[in-house]
Amino acid sequence: CCEQRGQLRFPKPWRAQRSSVDRIMLRRVITDAARRAAGSSSTADSVAARWVSSALCATSGEGASSMIRQPSSLATWVRHKHGRLNSKGSRPIGVPVAPTPYFGNMIVERLPMVMPPPEPWEAEYQQWSDERRRKFLKKLPEGLVNPKAEFEERDQGEDFEPAPRETEADKTGNQRTMHRRLDEFLFLVVQEAQTGQWGFPRREHVEGETMREVARQAMEEAVGDSIETYLVGNAPLGHFYEAKTGADGKEGGQGTNFYHRAQWLDGTLKLESRYKDYKWLTKEELGAHFNEEHHEFIKAIC
């Protein structure tokens, strides 16, 4: 069944038998209606009540009145019947609340500056495509194809040489500059002055703040206004629970980390006093500062 203009419309085979629809059919209509609205209590109550009223008008059969329930109890009954949501309709049953404290992390990224080199299969396909296209080309008079050739030969100038893909930072292994790995994404990690621990700029959540504000303030506490960035979206990229600091030093303290993303636009990075060092790393290089599970999670959301 479907709702059109606030009324319940039955398929044609049902319309001829609307007067004899029994309690089982009405139960299905009510259950489907409340299931659609089970995302929130208020929505479930209003939508379920409207559909129940429409179903009673459409059926007008005996025993229908015995199926009437108060909207709030009806919505609760459907949620517990299907076992999908809790009584508030905000979270699936059995899914635990994210452990506190909460931390906002800002992933500052530098976008690739050059196109990555083609894969071997791409280069092979391009070569085959060019050879096939040349077979069908018609040879035209040289004067028609390139009428300015005579003048261009007189003033060719210096030959153009593209800049190399491998920069000086790539050769020396300098990770404190963005001018490296030009065909890959780079991500900013910073080292805290007190603990010496590496990670993304982060800050603990305070009641009343949105996680986006926490992540933005964490970035400002790390780099101030030295760089211009663009914050991507309002919702976190994901969250990851972090256990207490281990012997390897690759854990950042107990709590749940929420991650937001910002793209570098302009400026030269300068650290604030809370941090003492920084690096621009690729996805794979981040594994040196995060444990294996955390690293896999970061690669999945970046």
Side-chain angles (χ1 to χ4, degrees):
C1 57
C2 60
E3 186 182 9
Q4 295 182 358
R5 299 182 180 179
Q7 298 180 353
L8 192 69
R9 298 290 301 277
F10 287 89
K12 290 183 179 180
W14 291 9
R15 293 178 186 174
Q17 303 177 3
R18 284 189 294 182
S19 60
S20 61
V21 175
D22 58 5
R23 293 178 59 179
I24 297 178
M25 185 61 68
L26 186 57
R27 181 189 294 269
R28 292 178 181 176
V29 173
I30 295 173
T31 303
D32 182 65
R35 187 191 305 171
R36 289 169 177 263
S40 62
S41 300
S42 59
T43 306
D45 295 345
S46 60
V47 175
R50 186 173 71 250
W51 279 57
V52 170
S53 177
S54 300
L56 292 176
C57 294
T59 59
S60 65
E62 297 181 359
S65 59
S66 64
M67 284 295 298
I68 299 178
R69 296 170 179 252
Q70 295 296 327
S72 58
S73 60
L74 172 64
T76 303
W77 169 68
V78 172
R79 293 191 188 100
H80 287 286
K81 178 178 183 298
H82 292 278
R84 295 182 179 180
L85 301 172
N86 59 16
S87 58
K88 295 183 179 181
S90 58
R91 187 178 64 258
I93 294 177
V95 177
V97 179
T100 56
Y102 301 139
F103 296 93
N105 293 253
M106 183 62 76
I107 301 177
V108 184
E109 65 179 3
R110 188 224 66 187
L111 300 179
M113 305 179 72
V114 298
M115 291 289 292
E119 297 290 339
W121 65 267
E122 291 181 296
E124 183 180 357
Y125 172 79
Q126 187 64 39
Q127 181 181 1
W128 171 84
S129 180
D130 292 341
E131 292 177 356
R132 183 178 183 278
R133 184 174 56 86
R134 283 195 292 267
K135 293 180 180 179
F136 299 96
L137 292 178
K138 294 183 178 180
K139 186 173 181 60
L140 299 176
E142 186 65 24
L144 181 62
V145 175
N146 192 7
K148 297 182 179 181
E150 181 180 354
F151 301 97
E152 291 177 351
E153 290 177 357
R154 297 178 182 177
D155 188 17
Q156 288 184 348
E158 298 182 359
D159 294 335
F160 172 75
E161 293 185 5
R165 286 179 172 271
E166 186 179 19
T167 64
E168 188 64 27
D170 292 324
K171 298 177 181 179
T172 60
N174 182 13
Q175 296 180 335
R176 301 184 78 254
T177 175
M178 290 185 294
H179 300 289
R180 59 183 296 268
R181 299 296 182 92
L182 302 180
D183 59 345
E184 297 186 51
F185 286 86
L186 293 183
F187 304 94
L188 175 67
V189 292
V190 291
Q191 185 182 27
E192 293 188 8
Q194 293 183 349
T195 63
Q197 183 176 349
W198 287 90
F200 299 117
R202 79 170 193 166
R203 178 175 174 270
E204 186 172 350
H205 176 262
V206 178
E207 188 68 27
E209 295 179 331
T210 65
M211 200 57 67
R212 186 177 188 271
E213 292 175 348
V214 175
R216 180 183 57 79
Q217 292 177 11
M219 179 179 63
E220 292 178 353
E221 291 176 359
V223 300
D225 58 354
S226 60
I227 60 174
E228 182 181 356
T229 59
Y230 168 71
L231 271 65
V232 182
N234 293 318
L237 299 172
H239 68 277
F240 183 85
Y241 172 70
E242 211 169 28
K244 291 184 178 179
T245 305
D248 56 359
K250 294 183 180 180
E251 295 286 356
Q254 189 172 10
T256 303
N257 292 278
F258 291 82
Y259 295 90
H260 283 264
R261 182 174 62 185
Q263 295 177 351
W264 173 86
L265 298 178
D266 192 17
T268 302
L269 189 146
K270 296 180 181 179
L271 289 178
E272 298 295 319
S273 58
R274 178 182 171 183
Y275 299 94
K276 65 178 182 180
D277 200 2
Y278 67 92
K279 296 178 183 179
W280 290 96
L281 304 178
T282 64
K283 286 185 180 182
E284 297 300 330
E285 292 171 341
L286 289 174
H289 301 292
F290 298 91
N291 61 38
E292 184 177 356
E293 183 181 3
H294 201 170
H295 184 215
E296 292 298 324
F297 170 81
I298 293 172
K299 290 195 297 182
I301 65 174
C302 291

